[in-house]
Structure formats: structure tokens, C-alpha cells
């Protein structure tokens, strides 16, 4: 246990140093004062992320209107932050009511506004709508959306205000009109808020003897098919689950190839792709960014090699149970398709480096224990949670998938 603690501590410290170095950019020493981050204002009519508001990659689907008499009204909480001005033209306090997630992001934004423009406050013109003033299925009806301005109503600030809202963590920000910025968040308990990076438990991997095994049944000591840095097939140790939630219902992307292979994984999971048939599997992107016409890498048992195959179509499915296996190589062939073991952070190599202490601990442990049985509890592994928190502190927001880590 002491050995594990020391190894993990070294890994966390190293990651924080490297990540902060990446955030500072070239030419800045660790001992120098860090300058404020340069903000790029949003353009008029621009929205971030660049997908529709009520899709999985943004704030998620509409879950139904909340009224004062509905059971879900208890999901709304009033916001009495004195650093925020609420227009409240209805004089009912409705604009102050919102979900806890929306409240947290709004309060964070209020601090950013005061830091950006001393003497200026955040102003909310629309919050929860109980009067039907918005279009059908508006997230204002659920307390998940706000329309905002600055207290001085200086329209020249609105582009930067939009960017500050993105940095504050709103799940979708839209420079909607010259009069206000629209921001929204995911539902508190929606499947959209529970992405992380996983496969369904029924997905299969290939063992060293050529047989297949369901991902949910993997145990420490299993050797499964993966690929090394050069794209060569290897059998590698399964170490543990970065995340395992046998009873959680989630939305998965299904990526189907022209030859019929299908890999099912969450939006924030990394998948190796190429734009032509000659590239090696060196580039990994989020599953939600994969597009028809790109190539994924499929295991050909006759050639005993990975072959690039074109993506035919992409759709979503819901499954109960999700598992994120970690291997010594950091890759895994799932349902005949090569995928990364990592998710949420867009850089596969950085994620693989950050998990080095776990691989080292596994190697040291294997020297003394030839046979190991996993006794891992459900949920996200604590080390992954630590890395995710460090990533949100030091990495640019664009380096992290909008859905972030799965909630446990």
C-alpha cells in the first residue's frame, strides 16, 4: 500500500507540473507570475460547442416543462447572489429559479464578470419561464437556461461575456442576439450528464487464445488484443476498470463501418481514425467527432493485422451498464475495432503518460502476485478523478470533452 501511495503521488505531482507547463506556453518559467488567460470573444450568432443545444454534446434533450404545481418544481432553487442583477420583470422571482447546476455556473460567471470589468455585474434578463414566452421545448421551462447581459448593457462586451460563460462551464453558450447571450446546462440527472468514456458491458474483446470475452467479465491478469505505438497487434495485460457502472443507463454512439463492424462507446471516449487508407492508427478523436467517410481500424483475423475501414453511419443507442477497461498498452480492440482506453481528455498520449504510475504499480504488483482477482468497487476510479480535476485546472477547456467525467 505504501508503494502504491508513493507511486501515485509522484504521478500526480508530475502531471500537475507538465500540465501547468503546457498551460503557460513556451518561454515561461515555473517561478514566474502567470499572466491572465487571453479570451477570444464569440462572434455574433456563434455557439459553443458547435452542435445543436438539445443534443448529447451540448445541454442534452428537453425533459419536460416544470410548473409550480409539478413534482419536479423541487428541482429548482432560488439564486440570491447579490453580485447578480435579476431583471424579474414579472415580479414573481421566476428569473431567480434554476437548477443547481445552472446556479453554480451562473455564480462562477458572476465572479469572472467582476474580475474582467471592475464595477460591472452580471445581469440576468430571463431565467425559468412559467408563462410560455419561449419557443416550444425551451430549456427556460426547466430552469436550465438563462439569458444574460452585463449590468451596464454595453453591447461591445457581449462577445467577451459569451467567452466567459464558456469558461465558467455552461454546457451551451449562444451569442443569440445583440441584446443578450443565451446559456444552458445539462439536466441534473440526465444521461447527457453521465458520459465519461466507456463501452457497454456486452461489448467483446479478444483473448490470447483467440476466444472472445465480454468487457464486463474482464479480470486482472487477462491478456487481450490491443495495438502498440506503431499500430502492430499485441496481447496486453488488462489492469483494471477506469470506470465501471453495471446499473447506469447511458447513451452510446454506435459507429458502423462499410464492412459491418460496429463499435459502441460513449461520446467522450477516444477512437483511432484516419482520413485515408495509408495512415497508421496514431490519431485519436472523441467518438462524438467521428464522421462518415473517415476510417477506423478493424482487426482482420486472416491477415492478423489492423486494416483501415470506412465509417458508413453513426447513430446512438441506450444501454444499461458501462465499463472502461485499462490495458498496459493504453489501447484495446473492442468488437474488432481499435480504440483508446482513454476518454474526456482529447490527447491520447497525454492520458497514457498520466496513467503511467498505475501501469508501474501493476507491473510491480505482478512480480509478487502471479494470480490476481479484481475487487474494484463500482464508479470512477479515484486516480482517474484526480487526473480529471487536475486537467480542469490546467488544461484549456477545449481539451476536455463537453460532457466531462461521468458522475458517480
Amino acid at each position: 500500500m505504501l508503494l502504491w501511495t508513493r507511486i501515485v503521488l509522484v504521478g500526480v505531482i508530475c502531471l500537475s507540473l507538465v500540465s501547468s507547463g503546457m498551460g503557460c506556453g513556451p518561454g515561461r518559467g515555473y517561478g514566474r507570475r502567470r499572466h491572465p488567460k487571453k479570451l477570444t470573444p464569440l462572434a455574433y450568432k456563434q455557439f459553443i460547442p458547435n452542435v445543436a443545444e438539445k443534443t448529447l454534446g451540448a445541454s442534452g434533450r428537453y425533459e419536460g416543462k416544470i410548473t409550480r404545481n409539478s413534482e419536479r418544481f423541487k428541482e429548482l432553487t432560488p439564486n440570491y447572489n447579490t453580485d447578480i442583477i435579476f431583471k424579474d420583470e414579472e415580479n414573481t422571482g421566476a428569473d431567480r429559479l434554476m437548477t443547481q447546476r445552472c446556479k453554480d455556473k451562473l455564480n462562477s460567471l458572476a465572479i469572472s464578470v467582476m474580475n474582467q470589468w471592475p464595477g460591472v455585474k452580471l445581469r440576468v434578463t430571463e431565467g425559468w419561464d412559467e408563462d410560455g414566452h419561449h419557443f416550444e421545448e425551451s430549456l427556460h421551462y426547466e430552469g436550465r437556461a438563462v439569458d444574460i447581459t452585463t449590468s451596464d448593457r454595453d453591447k461591445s462586451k457581449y462577445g467577451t461575456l459569451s467567452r466567459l460563460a464558456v469558461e465558467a462551464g455552461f454546457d451551451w453558450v449562444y451569442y443569440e442576439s445583440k441584446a443578450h447571450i443565451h446559456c444552458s446546462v445539462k439536466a441534473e440527472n440526465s444521461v447527457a450528464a453521465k458520459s465519461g468514456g466507456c463501452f457497454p458491458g456486452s461489448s467483446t474483446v479478444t483473448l490470447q487464445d483467440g476466444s472472445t470475452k465480454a468487457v464486463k467479465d474482464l479480470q486482472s491478469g487477462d491478456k487481450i488484443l490491443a495495438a502498440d505505438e506503431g499500430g502492430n497487434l499485441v496481447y496486453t495485460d488488462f489492469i483494471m476498470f477506469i470506470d465501471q457502472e453495471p446499473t447506469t443507463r447511458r447513451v452510446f454512439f454506435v459507429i458502423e463501418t462499410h464492412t459491418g463492424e460496429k463499435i459502441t462507446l460513449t461520446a467522450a471516449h477516444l477512437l483511432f481514425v484516419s482520413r485515408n487508407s495509408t495512415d497508421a492508427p496514431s490519431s485519436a478523436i472523441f467518438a462524438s467527432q467521428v464522421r462518415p467517410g473517415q476510417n477506423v481500424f478493424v482487426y482482420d483475423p486472416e491477415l492478423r493485422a489492423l486494416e483501415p475501414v470506412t465509417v458508413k453511419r453513426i447513430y446512438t443507442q441506450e444501454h444499461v451498464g458501462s465499463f472502461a477497461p485499462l490495458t498496459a498498452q493504453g489501447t484495446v480492440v473492442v468488437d474488432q475495432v481499435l480504440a483508446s482506453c482513454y476518454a474526456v481528455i482529447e490527447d491520447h498520449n497525454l492520458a497514457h503518460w498520466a496513467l503511467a504510475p498505475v501501469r508501474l504499480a501493476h507491473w510491480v504488483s505482478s512480480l509478487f502476485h502471479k494470480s490476481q482477482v479484481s475487487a474494484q468497487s463500482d464508479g470512477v476510479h479515484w486516480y482517474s478523478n484526480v487526473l480529471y480535476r487536475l486537467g480542469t485546472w490546467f488544461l484549456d477547456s477545449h481539451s476536455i470533452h463537453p460532457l466531462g467525467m461521468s458522475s458517480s
Side-chain angles (χ1 to χ4, degrees):
M1 182 58 70
L2 182 60
L3 177 62
W4 266 90
T5 303
R6 289 177 176 174
I7 291 172
V8 169
L9 182 59
V10 169
V12 170
I13 293 172
C14 290
L15 177 66
S16 63
L17 291 175
V18 171
S19 298
S20 60
M22 291 172 61
C24 289
R28 294 184 185 177
Y30 291 117
R32 297 185 183 182
R33 183 176 180 179
R34 187 172 180 175
H35 298 292
K37 184 177 181 179
K38 184 178 180 180
L39 299 171
T40 304
L42 267 67
Y44 179 55
K45 292 296 182 182
Q46 182 181 0
F47 44 86
I48 292 180
N50 190 28
V51 295
E53 180 180 28
K54 288 176 285 187
T55 58
L56 186 65
S59 293
R61 65 188 179 190
Y62 177 72
E63 299 194 347
K65 186 174 183 178
I66 295 177
T67 68
R68 291 185 185 269
N69 297 322
S70 68
E71 176 69 20
R72 293 179 59 210
F73 184 67
K74 63 184 180 183
E75 296 178 14
L76 304 183
T77 180
N79 191 331
Y80 295 115
N81 190 336
T82 56
D83 294 326
I84 303 174
I85 297 172
F86 291 88
K87 185 177 180 182
D88 195 22
E89 57 189 356
E90 299 90 356
N91 292 316
T92 62
D95 288 339
R96 292 183 180 272
L97 292 173
M98 57 196 69
T99 63
Q100 185 62 49
R101 182 176 178 84
C102 188
K103 180 178 179 179
D104 291 343
K105 305 307 180 187
L106 198 67
N107 288 344
S108 177
L109 177 58
I111 295 172
S112 298
V113 168
M114 292 188 296
N115 288 337
Q116 184 73 21
W117 302 292
V120 175
K121 290 186 176 183
L122 178 64
R123 175 172 174 261
V124 175
T125 60
E126 287 287 341
W128 175 57
D129 180 5
E130 59 180 331
D131 299 320
H133 292 158
H134 292 83
F135 60 84
E136 186 178 1
E137 297 192 354
S138 168
L139 298 186
H140 282 286
Y141 297 135
E142 295 185 62
R144 292 165 53 194
V146 289
D147 294 339
I148 59 173
T149 71
T150 53
S151 59
D152 59 3
R153 307 184 200 181
D154 181 353
K155 293 180 174 56
S156 67
K157 293 186 173 78
Y158 290 0
T160 301
L161 177 63
S162 303
R163 175 58 65 181
L164 289 174
V166 173
E167 297 296 323
F170 278 98
D171 298 306
W172 198 69
V173 177
Y174 180 27
Y175 193 165
E176 186 174 24
S177 79
K178 297 290 186 180
H180 69 262
I181 309 302
H182 177 81
C183 309
S184 62
V185 298
K186 299 177 178 68
E188 296 294 300
N189 298 306
S190 71
V191 292
K194 299 174 180 175
S195 177
C198 298
F199 307 101
S202 57
S203 293
T204 61
V205 296
T206 303
L207 301 180
Q208 195 166 16
D209 62 5
S211 63
T212 60
K213 191 173 191 178
V215 169
K216 65 181 180 180
D217 296 328
L218 284 171
Q219 294 184 341
S220 183
D222 285 340
K223 287 190 176 292
I224 59 178
L225 190 63
D228 62 17
E229 293 181 357
N232 303 303
L233 289 172
V234 294
Y235 286 97
T236 186
D237 287 346
F238 163 73
I239 297 175
M240 68 176 191
F241 289 112
I242 298 175
D243 184 6
Q244 61 173 2
E245 299 187 33
T247 61
T248 300
R249 178 177 292 276
R250 287 184 177 167
V251 171
F252 293 82
F253 276 66
V254 181
I255 298 172
E256 182 179 349
T257 71
H258 276 286
T259 52
E261 293 83 11
K262 297 178 184 178
I263 184 170
T264 306
L265 65 178
T266 47
H269 205 105
L270 292 173
L271 185 68
F272 291 99
V273 300
S274 70
R275 296 191 180 277
N276 57 63
S277 60
T278 60
D279 287 348
S282 58
S283 175
I285 64 175
F286 294 128
S288 60
Q289 296 174 338
V290 178
R291 297 291 181 265
Q294 291 179 317
N295 292 318
V296 294
F297 294 89
V298 173
Y299 170 53
D300 187 328
E302 294 184 1
L303 297 177
R304 301 185 66 81
L306 292 169
E307 295 295 316
V309 178
T310 306
V311 173
K312 179 182 179 181
R313 63 171 181 150
I314 302 165
Y315 54 96
T316 59
Q317 285 181 347
E318 287 192 13
H319 290 271
V320 175
S322 54
F323 299 80
L326 175 66
T327 69
Q329 288 290 338
T331 61
V332 59
V333 174
V334 175
D335 293 329
Q336 306 293 98
V337 180
L338 178 67
S340 169
C341 289
Y342 310 120
V344 181
I345 305 299
E346 68 173 356
D347 190 329
H348 167 83
N349 292 327
L350 176 61
H352 189 59
W353 181 89
L355 269 293
V358 174
R359 296 194 302 276
L360 178 59
H362 170 75
W363 176 76
V364 172
S365 179
S366 66
L367 295 179
F368 301 98
H369 304 283
K370 297 299 182 182
S371 179
Q372 304 172 21
V373 177
S374 174
Q376 185 179 336
S377 59
D378 293 345
V380 179
H381 192 275
W382 68 267
Y383 185 71
S384 300
N385 267 324
V386 170
L387 294 179
Y388 176 67
R389 297 304 173 194
L390 286 170
T392 59
W393 293 341
F394 295 115
L395 298 179
D396 187 274
S397 60
H398 300 296
S399 300
I400 301 175
H401 194 277
L403 296 186
M405 184 75 76
S406 69
S407 57
S408 49

